[in-house]
Amino acid sequence: MKYLHLAALLALTSCAANQPATAPTTTPAPPTFPMTTTDPNTTDETPQDHKLVIYQLMTRLFGNKTAVNKPYGTAQENGVGKFNDINDQALQAIKGLGVSHVWYTGVLDHATLTDYARYGIPADDADVVKGRAGSPYAIKDYYDVAPDLAVDVPNRLREFEALVKRTHANGLKVIIDFIPNHVARSYKSDARPAGVVDLGEQDDKSQAFRPDNNFYYLPGQPFVVPADYNPLGAVKAPHEDGKYQENPAKATGNDVFSAAPSVNDWFETIKLNYGIDYQNGRQPHFEPVPDTWHKMRDILVFWARKDVDAFRCDMAEMVPVEFWAWVIPELKKVKPGLLFIGEAYDAKTYQMYIERGGFDYLYDKVGLYDGLRRLTRDEGSTRDITRVWSEESRGFGGHMLRFLENHDEQRIASKDFAGNPRAALPAMTVSATLGTGPVMLYFGQDVGEPAHGSEGFSGEDGRTTIFDYWGVPEHQKWLNGGRFDGGLLSPEQQQLHAFYVRLLTLSGQREAIRKGYFYELQSTFASTAPGYNTERVYAYLRYTGREKLLVVVNFSPSQACQLPLSLPAAVLERLGMPAGQPLRYTDLLGDAGTVPGGTTVTLAPQSSHIFEIK
């Protein structure tokens, strides 16, 4: 929730010309080849199989067939996807992409302007809700699911439970969000089990901070709605009057200790208190275990017992690592094998949150995603990739979740990112195959969804809205009225989708990618391949004792490149392949076919290849 507010080959030239100078097991692959910890082209990380292939879908949007797309439209006008839309046919289509896990985004009950008062869930005050549908990261009941997602609202939780069972029956695992740092200002759990004390119910509101308070308070100061907030544009929203009754005011979710947060803050949320006194030097108070820790553990246990397989933990670094170190083992006692994925942006704390906090995986956003985005836009350098594996996540790269799209990031096909979905195929290839860790695909990415249009609160920002009711046009062509067969896709979209199927299937099935060693070939090809452009072409090996793969991608949008498929004796020795032995290279991803070693292949602009070496 950091959200605030190849076809035709171009004329062949040297790849150096005109370039800017810029589930899871823990059994390591058997090292049947020489290993070293001093070679600068690799790390001493013992590979372990962490290769989840995750499909993230925005549950409210995924199954929506309505194409009206009226800005600020209601659920009735623009339609809304349901749990039941994600049927066996949909799940088989998702699995056909090579997927192992589905992240159902936006499941928990959150603040919304849609009125379900007839079911005991009235609309929330518009002055503290972002968008007509509301942010799925402003939770108003941790023990309930969003009524928007149910066909039969009183039975909404049973419909979610049926989705979990259906997902498992189709050979897939379930991820849902856990939002530990903040809740909606209107938080009140109506669905909590008997005997559960609600968040804030026993707080001493006269104290700015107490270790056992669930929230932080600003005694004597009422909450002030941002003066320039306009919830629904020209439309008057329910209860919109520029006021919201909260006295004393609570601290805002993004650590703003002011009764009058700005419109650019997460003003619709309130910060949870995990025992850190932010206003007094961030002093920790962890003994005895704070009340919030117990309450959040119980919430996680509630969902784990619904047979959820993993939690994607929103803004994990805004919650003290001590809490994670305590709660994750507690949950794994309840459900061994349960996974925790942390949204994280501070590279300096990655290792701490993995080793001390107990996270299975963390986002690789500020490192690999940002570097690959620059390369896709013909900026930056492949040195950014080297820096990630050799420095930023050295020793724990298998615990980093790689992606090119998610609900927070701009769509590849948007004008704000690449404008062309095929431009990012080299970057996606690297995301999926660089390491043994998870890779993630966002729904619509595989058909080039560009997120055109101003949906309402979300605006024209290159993202698919998480705040509004909307139909996702290119995704709806794949949806094809509920057939999930891509029947309305253009030939170009069908080719794009087929590429993702090949890539993700290789990523999830090939031993060398799942649990193989890594060896970078930039220095090798720079010294042996004339004209090899180390700024725009990137190559590496993934290998085990039984399988050897050469991955090579060309990020250049205009320059093709000639690459001889020849590896020096020292590299072949590392692979356990005697020098002088005849080799053949079979392209599993691109269109180079099978060629003998020593053959020079053409790397088209923005092309990707995975060669199996035998």
Side-chain angles (χ1 to χ4, degrees):
M1 184 196 162
K2 60 186 183 59
Y3 222 132
L4 293 179
H5 125 294
L6 150 172
L9 175 65
L10 302 179
L12 179 63
T13 61
S14 167
C15 62
N18 302 318
Q19 292 295 318
T22 59
T25 67
T26 57
T27 304
T32 60
F33 25 74
M35 298 303 299
T36 175
T37 59
T38 59
D39 191 323
N41 297 300
T42 190
T43 76
D44 54 4
E45 182 175 355
T46 300
Q48 297 178 334
D49 185 357
H50 294 288
K51 190 56 73 178
L52 284 58
V53 181
I54 300 170
Y55 184 88
Q56 182 194 4
L57 62 85
M58 186 69 194
T59 316
R60 183 200 299 145
L61 305 179
F62 177 82
N64 182 22
K65 305 176 187 69
T66 305
V68 173
N69 284 357
K70 173 185 175 181
Y72 295 107
T74 65
Q76 291 71 32
E77 291 169 326
N78 283 352
V80 58
K82 307 292 183 181
F83 291 132
N84 289 357
D85 292 329
I86 310 168
N87 56 25
D88 290 322
Q89 198 167 355
L91 290 164
Q92 281 300 305
I94 291 170
K95 188 177 181 181
L97 274 161
V99 168
S100 61
H101 290 65
V102 185
W103 169 13
Y104 295 116
T105 306
V107 163
L108 300 185
D109 187 21
H110 56 268
T112 178
L113 299 186
T114 302
D115 191 357
Y116 289 97
R118 61 191 181 279
Y119 304 113
I121 313 170
D124 293 282
D125 191 313
D127 294 295
V128 287
V129 178
K130 288 182 177 176
R132 171 117 27 206
S135 169
Y137 294 96
I139 302 302
K140 70 175 181 182
D141 191 343
Y142 275 125
Y143 288 101
D144 204 356
V145 297
D148 268 343
L149 305 180
V151 173
D152 181 17
V153 174
N155 291 315
R156 58 193 178 276
L157 193 55
R158 282 194 284 275
E159 288 188 20
F160 171 72
E161 292 167 345
L163 174 61
V164 173
K165 291 179 181 177
R166 193 160 59 246
T167 304
H168 289 156
N170 280 280
L172 296 163
K173 295 196 174 185
V174 173
I175 304 171
I176 66 168
D177 286 290
F178 173 54
I179 299 89
N181 177 67
H182 49 267
V183 294
R185 289 204 177 266
S186 59
Y187 187 90
K188 184 179 187 301
S189 178
D190 299 315
R192 67 187 188 273
V196 171
V197 177
D198 211 5
L199 286 167
E201 187 176 332
Q202 297 179 343
D203 280 5
D204 181 350
K205 299 179 183 180
S206 69
Q207 301 295 314
F209 170 80
R210 282 180 54 115
D212 272 345
N213 276 357
N214 298 135
F215 302 119
Y216 297 95
Y217 296 91
L218 299 159
Q221 303 177 61
F223 173 74
V224 179
V225 173
D228 47 354
Y229 183 52
N230 188 5
L232 296 182
V235 180
K236 191 73 171 178
H239 312 297
E240 181 185 350
D241 58 6
K243 300 175 184 177
Y244 182 72
Q245 296 302 315
E246 182 181 289
N247 192 1
K250 302 180 183 75
T252 293
N254 58 322
D255 297 356
V256 173
F257 287 77
S258 167
S262 82
V263 72
N264 293 319
D265 289 318
W266 303 346
F267 66 87
E268 81 281 18
T269 69
I270 47 181
K271 174 82 173 177
L272 282 163
N273 171 13
Y274 284 82
I276 294 181
D277 190 351
Y278 284 87
Q279 295 181 289
N280 284 289
R282 299 177 66 96
Q283 294 180 20
H285 298 264
F286 300 149
E287 294 290 344
V289 172
D291 182 70
T292 301
W293 292 27
H294 290 287
K295 283 186 165 66
M296 301 311 275
R297 177 199 59 193
D298 294 346
I299 290 162
L300 285 165
V301 168
F302 176 84
W303 293 106
R305 287 178 173 159
K306 300 290 182 190
D307 213 13
V308 165
D309 301 292
F311 294 100
R312 177 268 185 190
C313 302
D314 188 71
M315 299 308 297
E317 293 168 328
M318 296 185 76
V319 173
V321 69
E322 290 84 357
F323 166 72
W324 298 115
W326 176 81
V327 80
I328 290 176
E330 290 282 299
L331 265 293
K332 292 193 176 187
K333 292 175 188 173
V334 173
K335 184 173 182 178
L338 190 68
L339 299 176
F340 282 79
I341 302 167
E343 180 189 16
Y345 301 104
D346 183 0
K348 296 188 297 295
T349 67
Y350 286 171
Q351 192 164 4
M352 178 177 70
Y353 273 81
I354 292 167
E355 294 182 357
R356 184 177 168 197
F359 273 95
D360 297 285
Y361 309 111
L362 297 178
Y363 273 31
D364 197 343
K365 195 278 179 190
V366 298
L368 194 62
Y369 169 89
D370 284 353
L372 292 175
R373 178 183 168 109
R374 287 190 293 270
L375 280 161
T376 300
R377 291 167 56 86
D378 201 25
E379 304 161 354
S381 164
T382 59
R383 291 191 301 272
D384 290 337
I385 304 173
T386 303
R387 184 186 59 79
V388 167
W389 67 258
S390 65
E391 298 176 25
E392 187 174 278
S393 57
R394 186 180 186 92
F396 54 88
H399 294 276
M400 302 307 293
L401 166 63
R402 273 72 190 251
F403 55 85
L404 283 187
E405 285 190 359
N406 64 39
H407 67 277
D408 279 321
E409 308 302 339
Q410 292 169 325
R411 291 284 193 175
I412 295 164
S414 73
K415 66 182 187 305
D416 305 276
F417 190 158
N420 173 9
R422 294 193 68 84
L425 297 187
M428 192 64 199
T429 301
V430 173
S431 294
T433 67
L434 186 69
T436 62
V439 61
M440 183 167 71
L441 178 77
Y442 192 36
F443 83 112
Q445 178 182 342
D446 56 304
V447 297
E449 172 57 43
H452 288 160
S454 178
E455 303 102 329
F457 178 83
S458 187
E460 180 80 48
D461 64 357
R463 299 173 176 87
T464 293
T465 181
I466 65 170
F467 304 103
D468 308 281
Y469 298 109
W470 203 249
V472 184
E474 303 311 311
H475 166 71
Q476 287 180 329
K477 294 178 182 178
W478 176 80
L479 179 68
N480 192 17
R483 297 177 183 86
F484 302 97
D485 61 2
L488 300 178
L489 297 175
S490 69
E492 293 77 13
Q493 287 176 311
Q494 290 173 354
Q495 291 173 8
L496 182 69
H497 177 80
F499 177 91
Y500 275 96
V501 171
R502 290 197 306 275
L503 174 62
L504 296 178
T505 300
L506 286 169
S507 177
Q509 294 183 359
R510 287 286 173 158
E511 176 185 90
I513 299 173
R514 292 192 65 92
K515 55 183 180 181
Y517 287 89
F518 166 87
Y519 192 83
E520 187 183 84
L521 293 172
Q522 293 299 85
S523 61
T524 297
F525 284 135
S527 62
T528 63
Y532 184 84
N533 180 15
T534 58
E535 297 294 304
R536 288 293 179 271
V537 180
Y538 193 70
Y540 50 94
L541 296 166
R542 296 296 314 283
Y543 62 101
T544 65
R546 293 176 294 191
E547 184 175 66
K548 294 87 168 78
L549 301 179
L550 165 64
V551 182
V552 58
V553 298
N554 181 6
F555 289 100
S556 173
S558 59
Q559 304 297 322
C561 179
Q562 300 253 18
L563 181 71
L565 295 179
S566 179
L567 298 174
V571 174
L572 291 173
E573 182 183 6
R574 171 173 288 272
L575 295 177
M577 307 180 90
Q581 182 182 38
L583 299 176
R584 65 181 186 273
Y585 291 73
T586 300
D587 193 352
L588 305 175
L589 183 63
D591 55 6
T594 299
V595 296
T599 301
T600 296
V601 295
T602 298
L603 308 178
Q606 297 176 335
S607 65
S608 307
H609 305 268
I610 300 176
F611 293 99
E612 183 176 24
I613 309 171
K614 285 190 175 181

